[in-house]
Amino acid sequence: MSTPSTTAPHDVDLAHARWRKSSYSGGANDCVEVAELGGHAAVRDSKDISRGTLLFSKAVMRALVGGIASGAIGPLRG
C-alpha cells in the first residue's frame, strides 16, 4: 500500500476557487471553507482568510476527513 502524497504545488491559482462553507456553520462565519482544485483541495479559515490557505491532495483530504469521521483523529488536548 502506498502512502498518499502530502505535497501540493505552490503555483495553484486560487483566484477562481469556488469556496464552500460547512452547512453546520450556521452563518456565523466561524468555520473552515473548502475549495476543490483539480487534484487538490484548499482549506482556509472563514473568519480570517488573510491567514492563508492549506493545500492538500484529494487523497490526503479524504484520509483526513475519514479519520475525523471515524474518531481516529480527535480534538487536540493541551
Side-chain angles (χ1 to χ4, degrees):
M1 183 166 114
S2 65
T3 303
S5 172
T6 57
T7 60
H10 294 275
D11 61 346
V12 172
D13 182 11
L14 299 173
H16 300 290
R18 296 180 65 192
W19 295 97
R20 293 182 296 141
K21 203 178 298 186
S22 168
S23 60
Y24 292 101
S25 70
N29 206 32
D30 58 355
C31 65
V32 297
E33 294 175 313
V34 177
E36 291 185 50
L37 304 164
H40 296 88
V43 179
R44 69 182 182 183
D45 182 345
S46 63
K47 292 183 302 296
D48 188 1
I49 61 173
S50 68
R51 295 183 79 187
T53 301
L54 299 174
L55 252 103
F56 300 96
S57 71
K58 282 191 174 180
V60 169
M61 189 68 173
R62 278 192 297 274
L64 174 63
V65 172
I68 293 168
S70 72
I73 301 172
L76 297 176
R77 297 190 191 340

